[in-house]
Structure formats: C-alpha cells, structure tokens
Amino acid sequence: MAQYSRIEVATVMKETGMVPLFYHPDIELGKKVLKACYDGGARLMEFTARGDFAFEVFSELNKYAIKELSGMVMGVGSITDASAASLFMQMGANFIVTPSLREDIAIACNRRKVLWSPGCGSLTEINNAEELGCEIVKLFPGSTYGPSFVKAIKGPQPWTSIMPTGGVSTEESNLKGWFDAGVTCVGMGSKLISKEILANEDFRGLETKVSTTLKTINSLRA
C-alpha cells in the first residue's frame, strides 16, 4: 500500500522539481544509488521496471526506503498495463509512470488514489489524461518535443502540469529551457545516473551531481 497520497506525491514533485529514474537488477547496488540520491537531496525515485523479476528488486528497494530513508517517495515507471500497475501498488508504489496514455491504468490507480503520470505527446492526449484525473502529465519523449512544445501548451492551458522525460540533462542551459517554458518538474535518467557512475560505483559523485542539479533547479525557479 502506498505511503503517500497522490496529492502528497504531486506536491513533492512540484517542490523538488526533479524525479531521478533508475533501473538495475542488483538490489544492493540499487540501495546505494537510492541512498546517494537521497543524501543529495532527492525525495523521489522512479524505478523503471524493465527487467526480469523487476518487481522483486522494487519490493526490496521500497522496503529499504521506508525503513532507512524517511520521506523518500518510491514509484515505478515503464508500466504498460493495469495488471502491472496493481502488482507494484501492492508492493507500495507511491506513483505509477507509463510510456503512453492508458485508461485501464488510470482506473486502477484512481481506485487506490495513487498518482499516475502517463506519457503524452499531443494536446488531445494531455486533455484526455486530465479528464481521467491526471495531476502531472509526462511529456515523452521530451527530446522529440522540446521546451517550445511545453510553452505552447501552457499558453491556453496554464493549469497543466508537465514533467518531460527524455531529452533532459543536468546542464544549466538545458534545465533553464525547460523551466522557463513552465514545466513542473523533470524526469532524469542516464544523464543523472550514468553508466559510468554505476560501473565505477561512484556514489559520492552521484550524491554531488544530484545536489548540484537540485540547486540549479532551485536557482532557475527563484
């Protein structure tokens, strides 16, 4: 069962401005990544459930977060059907992120009052998602659309909250483009938690990178 309501999760997304994305089959390595992100100031983690037995890995990481990392909000991404969403919610997922808009996932999450963020790529999809109760829309892939798309959407729909994923990096110029356009937060995967960091187990470097990125976001939104 989720530890946080969808409104609480949406609030944390808006306050911190960043959702790190991560997947690795090694549970112990995952704990170290989670701890580094937490110590760097991140309070959200989207575990991208892409590998075999990913649900077992997420279960252990969520237990660890609940026990050791107070206030860390664990969610799951790359969810493509309601069955998978239900499985991860039973393991305590606090939010569900999907690559596309699916009504069956919306219904499953709304039934449990769990935040869900669907991947959308058009104004029609965004409107449909909001009509289904979506708080924060995922713009995916962000690199395809760019900040100009966000700005165009926010013009007629200033109430729409958007989280681009893909095409977001830690560079200030990149982040400035997105936040100037009006995004609520950004999802960041390999540009933040790189293959090099994982290969070298440079968790201190990851902590610093997370901290620096969050400070950049705060300064851009000040």
Side-chain angles (χ1 to χ4, degrees), residues 4 9 13 17-18 20 34 58 62 90 103 137 142 147 149 163 173 186 192 208 217-218 221:
Y4 302 92
V9 175
M13 287 182 174
M18 183 179 75
L34 197 53
F58 174 78
N62 196 32
Q90 288 185 36
E103 186 174 349
V137 173
F149 180 88
M163 173 180 66
S173 59
V186 294
L192 181 70
T208 300
I217 290 172
N218 285 334
R221 299 197 300 186

Side-chain angles (χ1 to χ4, degrees), residues 177-198:
W178 288 112
F179 282 97
D180 282 355
V183 301
T184 295
C185 60
V186 294
M188 203 178 302
S190 60
K191 299 294 185 181
L192 181 70
I193 308 172
S194 67
K195 292 180 180 179
E196 290 74 22
I197 284 175
L198 297 178

Side-chain angles (χ1 to χ4, degrees), residues 32-52:
K32 292 174 182 177
V33 168
L34 197 53
K35 180 70 161 55
C37 289
Y38 181 84
D39 289 344
R43 289 299 177 267
L44 298 138
M45 173 65 76
E46 177 189 326
F47 179 78
T48 52
R50 296 176 179 174
D52 293 338

Side-chain angles (χ1 to χ4, degrees), residues 65-85:
I66 291 170
K67 183 179 180 180
E68 302 291 343
L69 308 176
S70 178
M72 191 64 167
V73 183
M74 293 289 292
V76 181
S78 300
I79 298 299
T80 56
D81 57 71
S83 298

Side-chain angles (χ1 to χ4, degrees), residues 91-220:
M91 294 179 181
N94 296 285
F95 61 95
I96 300 292
V97 182
T98 71
S100 61
L101 175 60
R102 288 185 57 99
E103 186 174 349
D104 61 331
I105 295 177
I107 292 171
C109 292
N110 287 340
R111 187 178 292 127
R112 295 167 176 81
K113 296 188 177 181
V114 169
L115 182 139
W116 59 284
S117 183
C120 296
S122 71
L123 182 56
T124 298
E125 286 186 332
I126 290 172
N127 285 338
N128 289 342
E130 291 177 327
E131 288 168 5
L132 289 168
C134 177
E135 297 288 342
I136 298 177
V137 173
K138 171 184 175 181
L139 179 63
F140 181 76
S143 56
T144 299
Y145 300 97
S148 60
F149 180 88
V150 176
K151 188 174 181 179
I153 296 297
K154 295 286 286 186
Q157 297 191 179
W159 57 82
T160 295
S161 296
I162 299 175
M163 173 180 66
T165 300
V168 181
S169 70
T170 59
E171 282 74 27
E172 183 174 354
S173 59
N174 180 277
L175 292 170
K176 179 175 172 56
W178 288 112
F179 282 97
D180 282 355
V183 301
T184 295
C185 60
V186 294
M188 203 178 302
S190 60
K191 299 294 185 181
L192 181 70
I193 308 172
S194 67
K195 292 180 180 179
E196 290 74 22
I197 284 175
L198 297 178
N200 298 325
E201 297 193 7
D202 183 14
F203 303 115
R204 182 61 60 87
L206 176 58
E207 178 184 337
T208 300
K209 197 170 187 180
V210 170
S211 177
T212 300
T213 303
L214 287 171
K215 288 177 181 176
T216 299
I217 290 172
N218 285 334
S219 66
L220 290 171

